[in-house]
Amino acid sequence: MPDFPIRKMQLILEEVHHDGGPLPETPRKLGAIVACVKNPFAGRYEPDLQPAMEDLKPLGAEMSERLIAALGGKEGIDGYGKGAIVGENGELEHAALWHVPGGYAMRGLLGQSNAIVPSCMKRGGVGSRLDLPLGHINAAYVRSHFDGIEVGLPDGPRADEIVFALGMSCGGRVHSRMGGLEVWQVTGDDGLR
């Protein structure tokens, strides 16, 4: 059973009060949470990584709960995404460990959420940044929710660490007007429309 001790966590909250044009009725809220953890696989090749996803599930649940609370509860959250930055002694497959623990934790706590959780991962050194992709929780084709939030830590990931990240949003981009599927048209049956 691998251990992923947490060195630090960071919560990022953003309110968009204006983005040109008229003021929105209410500010758009976005948030992200990151956890910098020790990478138990750094510097070596492990042929069977999948069991380690189980060990990360409590972290995914804790981060999801904290982010949902920081955004004022699950009502109104209609966008999400996830990602990871693995330090230089790790490999991208170590970042991919986050797919199930991060994605399924958010989906389980937010209730109905049929769309795939957008994801991004990379290898990077201390201070690396990641543009965490965001998409609508029930319909991947909702263009108003194609967005992102930048995450990163000034002192991580170290060579033997991984920074895991989750992001959520309340509402689409301010003044979205690029057409396509609108939120009111979502059926949520297939995760696409």
Side-chain angles (χ1 to χ4, degrees), residues 33-53:
I33 187 166
V34 297
C36 188
V37 304
K38 180 87 169 163
N39 181 355
F41 306 112
R44 65 183 180 89
Y45 178 79
E46 173 59 48
D48 188 12
L49 294 170
Q50 287 189 23
M53 286 192 281

Side-chain angles (χ1 to χ4, degrees), residues 9-26:
M9 286 182 131
Q10 182 183 71
L11 183 65
I12 303 158
L13 295 176
E14 182 177 322
E15 286 187 358
V16 181
H17 290 266
H18 194 271
D19 198 23
L23 292 174
E25 288 182 30
T26 59

